């Protein structure tokens, strides 16, 4: 047997405030069972309690309202479960990132940075298959994952084995404006026959002078390696301010047991003078 109750009583049944219930009515997420034409008073059915509880839990999990609407409208349980699993996966990823930031912050506050080891190198010219795009800094991890998958797939389909360690170059705007050109590259072996299509390009990278340091650890600590290496270069007066920084990915999270661990060469462009 069901009954209808006033909005205040429904708030007590569901732990949703009257203000929240009125808002959910306005956006048609949880509409009253009846509204008095003369007074405008809302009444809710006790059959709606379970639906209200589900909405409250999903909001506690920070699910956006449009996604909650999709979950509630799903007639197929499989469709509903897919939406829920997708949101939970995103939340778990956010929790992992939060843990990484906490660990990094503790290290920053309690442990002095280890002395950086800098190698000075003349990188020879090389040819690479590339993919270039203007990328938001907040989206760089996802973009790189997709870009390198596409680059390696293209080489595989062309029957070409990579000729060296993959990497990427980052324009100054990527750091100054949080949005800039990024070029992902995979070196090609001598004489490789790759015909680029679409956004892919075969690019000749010129030889250059670099100060190189290895970042060995979580992604959240990349800035400390950049800070130490860039400071070292600046203090020796060897900065090339307009040249892009280059990263070479010796080990990525896809080939380690620890998804937060990277081993990356950060290659800082420098003048020809010795430092």
């Amino acid at each position: 047997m069901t009954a209808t109750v006033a909005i205040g009583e429904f708030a007590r049944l569901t732990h949703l405030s009257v203000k929240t219930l009125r808002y959910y009515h306005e956006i048609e997420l949880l509409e009253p069972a009846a509204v008095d034409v003369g007074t405008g008073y809302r009444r809710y059915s006790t059959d709606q309690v379970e639906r209200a509880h589900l909405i409250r839990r999903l909001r506690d999990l920070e699910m956006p309202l449009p996604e909650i609407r999709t979950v509630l409208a799903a007639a197929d349980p499989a469709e509903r479960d897919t939406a829920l699993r997708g949101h939970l996966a995103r939340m778990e990823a956010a929790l992992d990132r939060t843990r990484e930031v906490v660990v990094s912050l503790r290290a920053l506050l309690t442990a002095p940075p280890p002395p950086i080891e800098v190698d000075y190198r003349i990188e020879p010219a090389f040819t690479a298959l590339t993919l270039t795009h203007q990328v938001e800094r907040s989206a760089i991890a996802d973009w790189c994952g997709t870009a390198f998958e596409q680059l390696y797939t293209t080489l595989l389909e062309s029957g070409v084995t990579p000729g060296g360690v993959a990497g990427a170059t980052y324009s100054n705007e990527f750091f100054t404006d949080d949005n800039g050109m990024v070029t992902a590259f995979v070196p090609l072996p001598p004489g490789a026959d790759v015909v680029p299509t679409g956004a892919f390009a075969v690019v000749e990278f010129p030889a250059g002078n670099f100060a190189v340091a290895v970042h060995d650890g979580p992604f959240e600590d990349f800035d400390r390696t950049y800070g130490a290496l860039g400071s070292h270069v600046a203090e020796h007066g060897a900065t090339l301010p307009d040249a892009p920084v280059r990263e070479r990915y010796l080990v990525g999270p896809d080939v380690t047991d620890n998804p937060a661990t990277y081993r990356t060469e950060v290659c800082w462009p420098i003048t020809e003078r010795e430092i």
Side-chain angles (χ1 to χ4, degrees), residues 12 47 78 85 134 152 243 251 261:
R12 183 160 62 172
D47 282 346
R85 282 195 297 270
Q134 184 157 329
Y152 281 113
V251 176
T261 298

Side-chain angles (χ1 to χ4, degrees), residues 70-71 73-85:
T70 299
V71 169
D76 181 5
E79 180 183 352
R80 179 199 62 200
D81 292 347
T82 297
L84 290 173
R85 282 195 297 270

Side-chain angles (χ1 to χ4, degrees), residues 18-173:
V18 168
K19 179 181 179 180
T20 297
L21 289 170
R22 287 172 177 161
Y23 175 63
Y24 287 169
H25 180 195
E26 291 174 7
I27 64 173
E28 300 180 351
L29 183 67
L30 181 60
E31 300 183 71
V35 179
D36 187 280
V37 176
T39 64
Y41 290 162
R42 300 168 174 86
R43 295 191 66 83
Y44 291 82
S45 168
T46 52
D47 282 346
Q48 295 177 282
V49 170
E50 185 176 351
R51 182 183 182 93
H53 287 168
L54 176 59
I55 293 173
R56 189 172 68 82
R57 280 165 173 75
L58 295 177
R59 287 301 291 152
D60 286 345
L61 291 176
E62 300 180 357
M63 178 176 277
L65 291 173
E67 291 187 28
I68 293 178
R69 195 184 306 278
T70 299
V71 169
L72 297 177
D76 181 5
E79 180 183 352
R80 179 199 62 200
D81 292 347
T82 297
L84 290 173
R85 282 195 297 270
H87 182 70
L88 289 175
R90 289 190 293 273
M91 284 205 67
E92 289 170 352
L95 286 173
D96 288 341
R97 172 168 168 74
T98 299
R99 293 189 190 99
E100 292 167 10
V101 172
V102 169
V103 170
S104 180
L105 179 58
R106 283 177 175 160
L108 185 65
L109 295 175
T110 61
I116 191 168
E117 296 183 9
V118 181
D119 181 29
Y120 308 110
R121 186 184 303 165
I122 299 176
E123 285 286 332
F126 65 95
T127 304
L129 181 67
T130 68
L131 192 58
T132 300
H133 199 268
Q134 184 157 329
V135 185
E136 290 276 355
R137 195 165 178 180
S138 60
I140 188 61
D142 290 340
W143 183 83
C144 280
T146 300
F148 285 112
E149 180 181 0
Q150 293 175 346
L151 287 168
Y152 281 113
T153 297
T154 299
L155 290 183
L156 180 64
E157 292 175 348
S158 300
V160 174
T161 301
V165 176
T169 63
Y170 296 85
S171 67
N172 284 346
E173 291 76 16

